[in-house]
Amino acid sequence: MPDRCAEALSQVLELVVVLGDDMARGLARTGLTVPRATLLWELRVRGPSTQRALADALDVSARTVTGLVDGLTATGFVTREPHSTDRRAVSVTLTAKGHATAEALAEGRSALGAQLFGDLPEARLTAFTAEVAALVERLRAAIREDGE
Amino acid sequence: MPDRCAEALSQVLELVVVLGDDMARGLARTGLTVPRATLLWELRVRGPSTQRALADALDVSARTVTGLVDGLTATGFVTREPHSTDRRAVSVTLTAKGHATAEALAEGRSALGAQLFGDLPEARLTAFTAEVAALVERLRAAIREDGE
DNA sequence: TATTGTTATACTCTATAACTATA
DNA sequence: TATAGTTATAGAGTATAACAATA
């Protein structure tokens, strides 16, 4: 048999590469990197957050968050505000610029979704989404199994 | 309408993240990083290559290749051999260890493909692969259009 | 003159370990 | 004692610019 599985995986990996490059290039124009944009995205969803919470959300170390927040502060996307009840903690907060940028990211993502999937028949789109979701699940299962 | 396009894109991005993490973790066990493994993969396909050729293949700067080859040399995966005709150039060459590792990468990828897609009916797999390929094409078109 | 690769320099992401201030 | 975050330090990937050797 010609290895159709390998072919499928190759296609998926290609998608990963192209999509990753596209995101990085788009973000660069707004003065952001992928990790910084991820942090911004998280703030948009969660509202002002401690660095500890962000570290957990992004699955990186506390040190890494310090660096990301340093960068985002220097470029005017967020500020460090005192935490209301815990004087050890800071409350990372979006500035007006940060807010606007986060919203623009969300809109850009919407637009990309429309561009990629907008002309697909509903049924095919639903099937495709389910297939990808199943793939993610299988991958997670493989990872769990492997992590023991 | 509930935004099915956004949903689909979210799923795809989730796949990108999970797959990326899985690769990175698997590679770490062999003492490789993603960029170094990519270089190894390229050498496996192309055979001994100049750094210039590798820079073009990986779409990175000459400086970056110098660093990657430095790392791979220090860890015993490749050697720098004199180029047969151009005395300016070097011929980056897989060591025995590098060869074995590159083959193992290929096998690992095969295994992952089988694990992810092995139990899918042929027809569904074919359809899915085509869908992903179309997605890559649409994305490339969007990038081209955008790059002008 | 053009090209190959290295050195010099710099920025980002990442982490562990030691430390400060607070719970 | 435990937790939040910073400093110190280090490694990896990335890049541009200046430079050496060779085409």
Side-chain angles (χ1 to χ4, degrees), chain B:
Chain B
M1 55 176 170
D3 196 343
R4 307 252 181 190
C5 296
E7 213 177 306
L9 183 54
S10 285
Q11 264 318 316
V12 171
L13 291 177
E14 179 118 5
L15 176 62
V16 167
V17 170
V18 176
L19 198 49
D21 285 1
D22 183 47
M23 307 236 97
R25 281 202 356 257
L27 288 174
R29 258 184 261 164
T30 72
L32 287 171
T33 60
V34 170
R36 288 181 190 181
T38 308
L39 199 156
L40 232 53
W41 188 268
E42 208 60 38
L43 284 179
R44 176 176 167 271
V45 172
R46 315 163 45 98
S49 309
T50 65
Q51 293 191 182
R52 181 67 259 163
L54 292 169
D56 291 340
L58 304 193
D59 199 29
V60 296
S61 71
R63 179 61 186 90
T64 297
V65 171
T66 295
L68 294 176
V69 173
D70 283 351
L72 286 166
T73 299
T75 45
F77 290 98
V78 307
T79 55
R80 283 186 171 100
E81 304 296 333
H83 191 275
S84 49
T85 65
D86 188 339
R87 290 202 318 204
R88 294 169 305 179
V90 299
S91 189
V92 183
T93 307
L94 289 171
T95 60
K97 174 183 173 183
H99 227 95
T101 305
E103 286 311 312
L105 289 184
E107 278 160 35
R109 198 160 136 169
S110 242
L112 181 60
Q115 191 162 29
L116 292 180
F117 301 110
D119 52 359
L120 249 63
E122 186 98 358
R124 251 173 86 198
L125 182 51
T126 304
F128 179 73
T129 303
E131 205 74 85
V132 175
L135 208 53
V136 170
E137 263 330 291
R138 246 169 286 153
L139 200 44
R140 287 228 168 92
I143 291 169
R144 261 193 307 276
E145 180 182 306
D146 175 82
E148 286 147 16

Side-chain angles (χ1 to χ4, degrees), chain A residues 92-140:
Chain A
V92 183
T93 307
L94 288 170
T95 61
K97 174 183 174 183
H99 227 94
T101 305
E103 285 312 311
L105 289 185
E107 278 160 36
R109 198 159 135 167
S110 243
L112 180 59
Q115 193 162 27
L116 291 181
F117 301 110
D119 52 0
L120 249 63
E122 185 99 359
R124 250 172 87 196
L125 183 51
T126 305
F128 179 73
T129 304
E131 205 74 83
V132 175
L135 208 52
V136 169
E137 263 329 293
R138 245 169 286 151
L139 200 45
R140 287 227 167 93

